[in-house]
């Protein structure tokens, strides 16, 4: 039987979440996505109007189908967490059931279970500020949206992940090496995400035999990356210095996610898997 995947963090066709959805769809999976509430209307109307049709083409020529788009804001676990100014915000008022707990309940009611959970989201309001200039509020917001959001997603979806299932997130090497410009506590958030990947692999493994891995991806010109402001420089740096002198494609990350979700990876858990043309292995620029 085909697998079912829930991919949190898809709001256009430029990011890693979209590419992972495509690779999983090409491997025969049914695709559900979780889309950030403020981005939901544009994403759904663009999908409907065919704006993504060219990007939906799979290797066999068919178009990727997204069975259902769920509204999601992964910084809120349940309705009691949602402050009044968000509840009454125009961009949120039109949607419902978008906290993590409610989204998991909706997926359960609609489909019963999933096999693959993907976390492809991050947010750091002060990402352009150096760590020394980052406020407590900005730092905690980065951790909340980029790290705890994963703990919460796995916690709420774990009961409906089938045995043999797999959970995957996206991280960045700024967690372990100095990448000036990746500020606002985002480097800290990725370090937490990688550490949590190990602990969650243990807990979800012992509890349900679920595997938990994170992909440390090289630079991609996504919407989120463009907001950081140094993405073109990072892409040029990688092409100039990585063992493989090519630009990384999102599809290469998508294919790794499909591998990690498959039985081919049945003994791989708790890992940080580099998909970066080998840049992580370099000790100096060349
Ligand atoms: P992207 O813009 O495609 O994805 C980020 C998504 O997060 C967006 O769809 C956004 O709407 C969503 N989001 C933000 N806050 C949210 C919230 N509170 N609740 C739900 N969704 C929320 O950009 P991307 O670069 O593909 O990012 C995907 C993942 O890949 C992130 O974890 C990112 O850190 C990681 N990553 C990116 C790069 C890169 O160079 N682009 C490199 C390594 C790792």
């Amino acid at each position: 039987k085909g697998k079912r995947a829930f991919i949190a963090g898809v709001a256009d066709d430029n990011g890693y979440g979209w590419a992972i959805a495509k690779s999983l769809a090409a491997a025969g999976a049914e695709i559900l996505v979780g889309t950030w509430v403020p981005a939901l209307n544009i994403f759904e109307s663009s999908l409907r109007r065919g704006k993504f049709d060219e990007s939906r083409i799979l290797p066999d020529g068919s178009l990727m189908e997204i069975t259902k788009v769920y509204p999601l804001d992964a910084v809120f676990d349940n309705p009691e967490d949602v402050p009044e100014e968000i509840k009454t915000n125009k961009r949120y008022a039109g949607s419902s059931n978008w906290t993590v707990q409610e989204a998991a309940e909706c997926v359960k009611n609609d489909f019963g279970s999933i096999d693959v959970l993907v976390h492809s989201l991050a947010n750091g309001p002060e990402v352009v500020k150096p760590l020394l200039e980052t406020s407590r509020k900005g730092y905690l917001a980065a951790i909340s949206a980029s790290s705890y959001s994963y703990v919460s997603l796995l916690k709420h979806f774990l009961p409906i992940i089938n045995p043999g299932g797999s959970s995957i997130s996206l991280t960045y090497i700024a967690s372990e090496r100095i990448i000036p410009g990746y500020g606002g506590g985002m480097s800290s958030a990725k370090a937490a995400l990688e550490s949590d990947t190990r602990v969650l692999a243990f807990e979800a493994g012992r509890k349900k035999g679920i595997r938990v891995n994170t992909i440390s991806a090289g630079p991609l010109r996504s919407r989120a990356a463009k907001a950081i402001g140094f993405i073109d420089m990072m892409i040029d740096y990688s092409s100039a210095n990585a063992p493989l002198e090519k630009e990384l494609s999102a599809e290469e990350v998508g294919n790794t996610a499909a591998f990690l979700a498959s039985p081919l990876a049945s003994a791989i858990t708790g890992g940080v898997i580099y998909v970066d043309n080998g840049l992580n292995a370099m000790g100096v620029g060349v």
Side-chain angles (χ1 to χ4, degrees), residues 66-248:
I66 297 177
T67 305
K68 190 159 176 181
V69 178
Y70 292 84
L72 177 71
D73 193 322
V75 304
F76 301 113
D77 300 314
N78 50 56
E80 296 83 79
D81 284 351
V82 182
E84 208 47 44
E85 76 257 28
I86 297 281
K87 262 183 215 155
T88 53
N89 183 305
K90 267 210 314 277
R91 296 195 295 176
Y92 285 77
S95 302
S96 54
N97 296 323
W98 40 258
T99 66
V100 176
Q101 186 191 321
E102 292 168 294
E105 278 165 11
C106 289
V107 172
K108 182 182 182 182
N109 292 339
D110 292 343
F111 297 98
S113 67
I114 61 170
D115 303 283
V116 185
L117 175 67
V118 178
H119 175 280
S120 183
L121 63 97
N123 200 8
E126 298 182 14
V127 66
V128 298
K129 288 190 190 164
L131 191 53
L132 272 176
E133 283 159 35
T134 297
S135 71
R136 184 182 300 269
K137 196 171 166 217
Y139 183 97
L140 293 177
I143 297 275
S144 174
S146 313
S147 315
Y148 189 77
S149 58
Y150 185 51
V151 177
S152 180
L153 262 185
L154 187 55
K155 167 183 169 161
H156 289 98
F157 277 86
L158 194 58
I160 64 162
I161 303 181
N162 290 320
S166 174
S167 178
I168 298 156
S169 66
L170 274 301
T171 187
Y172 185 48
I173 195 158
S175 60
E176 44 176 322
R177 300 276 183 255
I178 303 162
I179 310 279
Y182 197 73
M186 279 306 301
S187 57
S188 329
K190 290 307 192 188
L193 182 69
E194 291 174 22
S195 179
D196 295 346
T197 296
R198 293 183 280 274
V199 177
L200 294 169
F202 176 75
E203 295 180 2
R206 289 298 174 96
K207 209 171 189 160
K208 286 200 73 174
I210 306 299
R211 295 179 296 103
V212 181
N213 292 290
T214 188
I215 296 174
S216 186
L220 173 76
R221 216 176 270 101
S222 65
R223 186 187 167 103
K226 280 192 271 191
I228 304 172
F230 69 177
I231 188 65
D232 291 313
M233 192 191 100
M234 296 316 285
I235 290 172
D236 292 345
Y237 181 88
S238 181
S239 303
N241 294 289
L244 302 177
E245 291 180 286
K246 60 183 175 59
E247 190 161 324
L248 182 70

